[in-house]
Amino acid sequence: MRTQVVIVGGGPSGLLLGQLLHKHGIETVILERKTRDYVLARIRAGILETGLVNMMREAGVAERMDRECFVHHGTCISYENEMFDINFQELIGQNVIVYGQTEVTHDLYDARAAVGAKTMFEVENVEIHDADRDAPCVTFHAEGSTQRLDCDFVAGCDGFHGISRKTIPETVRREYEKVFPFGWLGILSETPPVHEELIYANSTRGFALCSMRNENLSRYYVQCDLSDKVGNWSDDAFWDELKRRLPDAIAEKLVTGPSIEKSIAPLRSFVTEPMRWGRLFLCGDAAHIVPPTGAKGLNTAASDVHYLYEALVQHYRDNDSEGIERYSERALARVWKAERFSWSTTNLLHRFPDQTPFDLKMQRAEIESLHYNETAQRWFAQNYVGLPY
Ligand code: APR
Ligand code: PHB
C-alpha cells in the first residue's frame, strides 16, 4: 500500500492534521493502536485557544462546537477567601472556548469518516523505517497480518508513550523534563458548574480547579500526593476537600453529586528536540507534555498541527520545502512559551513539599501582583488565550 502521509496516532493531533490535509487533497492514513471508542472514552481538558478554534473551522469541523461551546471572556483566581477575575476581553479583546477535548476528538472522527479517509484501529507493532531517507515506510500488524505502507512523510502523533519519538536516534534527540512532586485528582459530576468561569484556587491545603463541560456537567480537581490513590477518596471526601480549598462564598454554592469519573494524573513538563528527523515530524504529546495548569496540552498540539499542515501544503502545492525545513524551529519556539506559562502557573498555584516560609511569601506576593497589576494580568491573558502562531 502507499499513501502521501502516514499519521501514527488517532488522537486530536493526528485527526486534526488529517482533516486539514484532506481539505487540500493530501491523502493520509491514520494508524491508531486502540479502538475508536477507547480513544473517545478518555477524559481530557476543555479549554480551546482561538488558534485551535480557527483550525477546527478551517477543517470544516466546527458546527457542533460553535453550537454547544461556552465562550469565556476571563478566568478567576482565588487565594484563601480572596478571588479575582482576569478579564481577557477587557485586557486584550480576546476569549477562550470551553468545549471538551473528547467532543473535539469525536467531531474529528465523524468528519474523517464522512470524507472516507482511511483510519486503521487496533494496529500493533508500528515501526517507522527510513525516515531519514527519501522513501520512508511504516510497517505494522493489523487485520491478522503484517502490513507495509510506503509514503512521502510520517507524522508522529502517537502521544507521550508512542513509538515516533523513539524512532529518532538517541544521539540526535535532546530531552528536557521536570516531574512535579504531586498529582491532580479529578472528578466529573453531572452537576451545574459552581461558577460561570473557571476558578484556579491556591490554598494552604493545595491547589484546586473548578471547571466544566456544559451547564450540567462539571469537572473539578484537587492537588494530591503522588502516592495517593483514587480508592482513598470517597465522593464525600473529595467534595469536603474541594470546599476547604475554595473561598467560603464559592464553597457555599457548590452543588455536589455522585462522580461519574474519578482519576489521578501526574504532572510533568517534557520537551524533545528536534521535532523533525528527515521525513518524520513529531506533533503534540509525542514531542512535549505540559502540566495541565495552563490548559496548554491540546492547544500546543494544535500549533504543531498548524506548522506541519502549512509545511506539507507548501511542499505538495508549491514544491517549496521552506516550511518542512523550519518546522521544528517554528513549533519549538511556541512550545517553549507554552511550557513556560504552564510551569509558571503550576508554581504559582500549588503547594510544594519543600516550600519554605519565604517561598510562600514570594508565591503570595506574585498572586497579589497578578490580582492588582494590569500589566501582569495582560501577560497572563495573552498566554492563556494563546500566543499567535
Ligand atoms: N501506534 C499507534 N497508535 C498509537 C501508538 C502506537 N505505537 N502509541 C500511541 N498511539 C495512539 C494513542 O492510542 C492515542 O490515541 O496515539 C494517540 C495519541 O493521542 P494523545 O495522547 O491524545 O496525543 P495528541 O493527539 O498529541 O493530543 C494531545 O491529548 O493527551 C492529551 O493533554 C494532551 O490535550 C493533549 C492532547
Ligand atoms: C478541564 O476542564 O479539565 C481543565 C480546564 C483548565 C485546565 C485544566 C483542565 O487548566
Side-chain angles (χ1 to χ4, degrees):
M1 289 188 291
R2 176 171 182 80
T3 189
Q4 289 175 296
V5 182
V6 171
I7 298 174
V8 184
S13 297
L15 290 162
L16 180 57
L17 177 66
Q19 204 60 27
L20 288 164
L21 292 177
H22 172 81
K23 300 292 281 187
H24 285 267
I26 298 168
E27 186 190 74
T28 62
V29 173
I30 291 182
L31 304 177
E32 167 53 51
R33 179 164 64 179
K34 299 296 186 181
T35 64
R36 182 181 184 276
D37 288 347
Y38 185 100
V39 175
L40 292 174
R42 292 178 182 137
I43 303 294
R44 296 277 169 71
I47 299 292
L48 277 54
E49 293 177 356
T50 306
L52 172 51
V53 171
N54 291 340
M55 281 202 287
M56 289 287 282
R57 291 182 180 141
E58 184 177 350
V61 193
E63 189 269 332
R64 184 165 78 107
M65 177 188 73
D66 283 335
R67 189 174 68 244
E68 297 181 5
C69 74
F70 290 165
V71 178
H72 279 203
H73 297 302
T75 195
C76 293
I77 291 178
S78 71
Y79 52 120
E80 303 317 319
N81 250 347
E82 298 271 353
M83 188 162 100
F84 61 96
D85 181 67
I86 297 180
N87 191 315
F88 312 140
Q89 195 63 44
E90 284 177 7
L91 288 161
I92 57 171
Q94 295 181 54
N95 54 52
V96 292
I97 296 285
V98 176
Y99 187 67
Q101 179 177 315
T102 305
E103 308 318 316
V104 168
T105 308
H106 200 293
D107 295 344
L108 287 165
Y109 265 126
D110 288 350
R112 184 167 180 85
V115 299
K118 189 174 179 66
T119 305
M120 300 180 74
F121 294 100
E122 297 182 283
V123 169
E124 295 177 335
N125 306 326
V126 172
E127 288 186 38
I128 300 166
H129 308 277
D130 298 331
D132 58 336
R133 307 249 173 94
D134 287 341
C137 72
V138 179
T139 57
F140 54 94
H141 193 83
E143 297 154 355
S145 66
T146 297
Q147 302 185 36
R148 168 183 166 132
L149 255 175
D150 292 298
C151 56
D152 299 331
F153 300 102
V154 181
C157 301
D158 48 351
F160 184 69
H161 301 290
I163 55 95
S164 296
R165 181 173 69 251
K166 297 160 195 161
T167 301
I168 301 176
E170 283 187 10
T171 53
V172 173
R173 273 185 282 142
R174 300 177 302 281
E175 299 190 347
Y176 307 83
E177 183 171 46
K178 178 181 182 55
V179 177
F180 290 89
F182 40 71
W184 279 16
L185 167 64
I187 73 161
L188 205 54
S189 62
E190 289 172 331
T191 54
V194 71
H195 197 60
E196 65 266 16
E197 289 184 343
L198 272 63
I199 301 173
Y200 290 83
N202 170 300
S203 86
T204 55
R205 299 178 65 85
F207 171 80
L209 172 59
C210 302
S211 184
M212 62 196 73
R213 293 291 178 272
N214 61 47
E215 59 276 356
N216 198 43
L217 189 60
S218 296
R219 180 69 167 164
Y220 294 104
Y221 300 93
V222 296
Q223 173 186 343
C224 64
D225 294 339
L226 277 176
S227 59
D228 216 336
K229 300 280 185 279
V230 171
N232 297 340
W233 289 86
S234 67
D235 286 358
D236 287 346
F238 180 90
W239 294 121
D240 289 345
E241 186 59 38
L242 176 64
K243 287 177 183 175
R244 296 172 78 173
R245 300 190 186 189
L246 297 172
D248 296 341
I250 299 295
E252 284 161 12
K253 61 179 187 170
L254 180 69
V255 177
T256 65
S259 61
I260 59 174
E261 192 272 347
K262 196 185 289 180
S263 55
I264 291 179
L267 273 69
R268 97 175 59 233
S269 302
F270 175 87
V271 180
T272 193
E273 293 185 350
M275 288 177 57
R276 173 197 169 212
W277 186 59
R279 289 173 173 260
L280 168 62
F281 303 90
L282 303 184
C283 203
D285 275 16
H288 42 74
I289 296 289
V290 285
T293 324
K296 290 299 164 203
L298 176 60
N299 291 300
T300 310
S303 54
D304 296 346
V305 168
H306 166 80
Y307 296 120
L308 183 51
Y309 148 64
E310 277 203 339
L312 291 171
V313 168
Q314 195 178 23
H315 167 82
Y316 283 111
R317 183 188 61 200
D318 311 332
N319 194 27
D320 179 347
S321 65
E322 186 257 353
I324 282 174
E325 299 301 329
R326 293 192 61 198
Y327 168 71
S328 183
E329 165 207 342
R330 283 173 171 160
L332 283 167
R334 196 174 187 279
V335 162
W336 280 114
K337 294 183 179 74
E339 291 286 343
R340 176 172 181 255
F341 180 68
S342 306
W343 168 83
S344 67
T345 47
T346 302
N347 281 294
L348 180 72
L349 297 168
H350 290 74
R351 280 290 187 278
F352 289 71
D354 61 351
Q355 268 172 326
T356 66
F358 180 82
D359 295 334
L360 291 171
K361 282 290 187 185
M362 289 298 96
Q363 190 182 66
R364 172 81 183 217
E366 191 172 344
I367 290 178
E368 289 181 344
S369 165
L370 192 56
H371 187 168
Y372 298 106
N373 182 308
E374 188 175 303
T375 304
Q377 288 203 1
R378 189 168 287 112
W379 177 86
F380 183 99
Q382 287 165 344
N383 281 273
Y384 193 91
V385 303
L387 298 174
Y389 287 168

